[in-house]
Amino acid sequence: MLLQFNVTNFLSFKEETILSAYASADKTFANNLIKVGKDSVLPTIAIYGANAAGKSNLIKALTAAILFVRQSNFYQINTINPIVPFLLDENSRNEKTKFDFSFIHNGKQYDYGFSATNQVVYDEYLYEYKTKKPSMIFERTNINEYKYTSSTKKELSQYEEKTSANKLFLATATAWNCELTKNAFMWFAESIDTFDSRTLDNSFVSEFEKDNTDEMKKFMMDFIHHADINISDYNFEIKEADKDTLPPYMETNKIVNTVKQWKMDVVHKTKVGSEIRSFVMPFSAESAGTVKAFSYGPLIRKALKTGKTMIVDEIDSCLHPMLVRYLIDLFNDSEINKNGAQLIFNTHDVSLLDQDIFRRDQIYFVEKDNATAISDLYSLSEFSPRKSEDIRKGYLQGRYGAIPAIIPGGLEW
């Protein structure tokens, strides 16, 4: 479960930017919140802003940090990591980028962060909350200077020489089966993921392949029914690729043995005269919205079952606003979302700007200063709108910023 994410000097976010999932003292929809001890955590967060304001850059920052943690141990000494600083400033482009996470995994709360360029990790730390105050597991400064507690030094110090300047100590220690770092690392590896409209397509294939008991199929048909999509059944098949169907550059036994081909047909029931008949259609003939619905289904099922954090760039891509509302309601409903799953997304769908859907602290805005090209992230709760206020109307009128400044009039030809 993500509690807070801080980023400094990444793409358009030059200054420290904070995305907090901690709930405010607002009593609205209190039953929807995820309870963590005395704290409450938001199950969903919606992020709004004009085109090119930096909404996607915030998700790219999360993606870069997560992938760096996952892949760091596999780096060669000259591997470049995915960090890109704010480039429109002579100082910032040569400064470190900083990421900080607060999260909970398997009932344990951690603070973890690091600062790095695309070639060197300068600072890194991991703290665990055994009481109200965090306890240090390790600190790393000046690239290769480490600090531990008396109880962690013996276990962790042996991994120093195995961690090159471009690697994260968290990943290296975990790769050597270090119990002190394993749980924190596994949150990055398994319990948080980012998606965009491209990576979502066909993401269901791996989950459908593993569905040996038809549990996924039962869930998907229920999900499709709730989404009001006229599909009564589907048949999914997957097998190793046929060598004769592959392009010439892939015609090696090694590649053929790792490439799989899948096929799916869907069944539509329609009324023909007075008779209800079933027609089988190839999945490739379905609309982009239906493909997206099939892509979301397995991801949402997994998130709700495991308490995963899903972060989606442009959640409204190819989806009707009512279906997006349905996805949000699944996470906001504590009777359905029993394991603390989270859905964080950006969108342009202003129909969701409704205090009957979201609390004020669940809505964030991103605005870019066109003079400096710096993005700023802030919450609707900073404006303290009345609970009866029409926030959709206020947003479109520019009351909260984060809208495009359209210049009226014609164009010179």
Side-chain angles (χ1 to χ4, degrees):
M1 180 189 311
L2 179 66
L3 302 177
Q4 185 167 296
F5 172 65
N6 299 29
V7 59
T8 306
N9 194 31
F10 184 89
L11 293 177
S12 58
F13 291 97
K14 178 182 176 182
E15 310 298 339
E16 183 179 35
T17 299
I18 301 173
L19 176 67
S20 176
Y22 282 108
S24 67
D26 188 347
K27 301 300 182 182
T28 307
F29 299 132
N31 292 332
N32 292 356
L33 300 174
I34 305 167
K35 306 301 180 183
V36 181
K38 293 183 178 180
D39 293 320
S40 295
V41 180
L42 304 174
T44 57
I45 294 176
I47 304 170
Y48 285 84
N51 293 111
K55 301 185 303 300
S56 294
N57 287 346
L58 182 65
I59 295 179
K60 287 177 182 177
L62 282 154
T63 304
I66 293 166
L67 291 180
F68 191 18
V69 173
R70 291 179 182 177
Q71 300 171 0
S72 171
N73 187 59
F74 302 105
Y75 282 12
Q76 301 298 316
I77 59 172
N78 61 343
T79 302
I80 302 299
N81 68 52
I83 292 175
V84 182
F86 182 78
L87 297 174
L88 302 178
D89 179 282
E90 292 298 332
N91 294 322
S92 296
R93 63 168 49 219
N94 297 312
E95 286 293 320
K96 297 173 286 187
T97 296
K98 192 171 187 295
F99 301 101
D100 301 279
F101 291 86
S102 292
F103 59 95
I104 295 175
H105 188 52
N106 290 330
K108 296 182 178 181
Q109 182 175 341
Y110 297 94
D111 288 340
Y112 172 72
F114 59 90
S115 62
T117 63
N118 64 356
Q119 295 178 308
V120 176
V121 177
Y122 288 90
D123 305 285
E124 188 180 1
Y125 66 88
L126 178 64
Y127 286 82
E128 180 183 351
Y129 286 79
K130 297 179 180 179
T131 63
K132 291 183 179 180
K133 294 183 178 180
S135 301
M136 180 179 67
I137 296 179
F138 72 82
E139 288 183 358
R140 174 187 184 182
T141 56
N142 299 321
I143 303 175
N144 58 6
E145 295 179 10
Y146 292 87
K147 182 179 179 182
Y148 315 102
T149 65
S150 57
S151 61
T152 63
K153 183 174 182 179
K154 182 178 179 180
E155 169 69 13
L156 290 171
S157 59
Q158 61 183 308
Y159 307 119
E160 292 180 20
E161 62 181 18
K162 298 177 174 66
T163 307
S164 58
N166 66 336
K167 289 186 177 182
L168 293 170
F169 187 73
L170 178 71
T172 302
T174 304
W176 287 87
N177 205 29
C178 176
E179 290 297 327
L180 289 170
T181 60
K182 184 177 180 180
N183 192 53
F185 176 87
M186 292 308 295
W187 181 75
F188 287 97
E190 297 180 344
S191 293
I192 183 170
D193 263 318
T194 62
F195 304 92
D196 61 28
S197 58
R198 294 167 297 175
T199 58
L200 269 169
D201 286 346
N202 299 337
S203 60
F204 61 85
V205 172
S206 61
E207 294 300 321
F208 279 19
E209 182 182 5
K210 294 183 288 187
D211 187 24
N212 297 320
T213 62
D214 282 345
E215 288 185 15
M216 175 63 73
K217 188 169 188 177
K218 291 176 183 176
F219 173 87
M220 283 302 305
M221 294 315 303
D222 191 28
F223 180 74
I224 293 300
H225 171 72
H226 279 86
D228 194 29
I229 295 174
N230 181 30
I231 291 177
S232 59
D233 198 3
Y234 68 84
N235 181 50
F236 176 84
E237 297 178 359
I238 191 166
K239 62 181 180 179
E240 289 188 359
D242 184 347
K243 183 177 179 180
D244 294 334
T245 66
L246 295 176
Y249 67 86
M250 297 181 70
E251 287 184 3
T252 70
N253 289 334
K254 182 177 180 181
I255 292 179
V256 169
N257 290 336
T258 60
V259 174
K260 294 185 177 181
Q261 294 175 319
W262 64 273
K263 176 186 176 183
M264 189 160 78
D265 294 321
V266 296
V267 179
H268 289 267
K269 287 185 176 180
T270 59
K271 188 173 183 180
V272 180
S274 60
E275 183 182 0
I276 301 296
R277 297 179 59 185
S278 296
F279 294 90
V280 178
M281 301 277 289
F283 185 66
S284 58
E286 295 299 321
S287 70
T290 299
V291 173
K292 278 289 187 295
F294 268 85
S295 298
Y296 272 110
L299 298 175
I300 289 170
R301 178 176 181 264
K302 188 172 185 179
L304 293 174
K305 285 187 68 175
T306 64
K308 191 169 186 174
T309 300
M310 278 183 63
I311 303 168
V312 183
D313 188 10
E314 297 182 351
I315 196 172
D316 49 340
S317 175
C318 299
L319 290 184
H320 191 277
M322 293 299 292
L323 182 51
V324 176
R325 168 74 183 270
Y326 174 62
L327 301 184
I328 294 166
D329 288 344
L330 290 176
F331 285 81
N332 278 346
D333 188 338
S334 58
E335 292 298 313
I336 296 172
N337 183 13
K338 298 179 180 180
N339 297 308
Q342 293 171 295
L343 178 63
I344 301 171
F345 60 92
N346 65 37
T347 180
H348 291 290
D349 184 359
V350 295
S351 70
L352 300 173
L353 279 172
D354 189 331
Q355 295 193 76
D356 289 331
I357 302 175
F358 290 117
R359 294 159 49 96
R360 289 169 290 188
D361 52 5
Q362 288 180 283
I363 298 172
Y364 273 81
F365 300 107
V366 176
E367 185 167 50
K368 181 183 284 185
D369 184 334
N370 286 333
T372 63
I374 297 173
S375 295
D376 182 30
L377 176 73
Y378 51 93
S379 171
L380 174 65
S381 60
E382 296 181 25
F383 295 87
S384 301
R386 299 184 309 277
K387 292 185 179 180
S388 60
E389 187 170 322
D390 185 342
I391 56 173
R392 175 183 174 274
K393 181 178 179 181
Y395 173 65
L396 293 175
Q397 291 177 339
R399 192 174 303 164
Y400 317 122
I403 61 172
I406 304 297
I407 301 174
L411 302 174
E412 294 184 9
W413 294 89

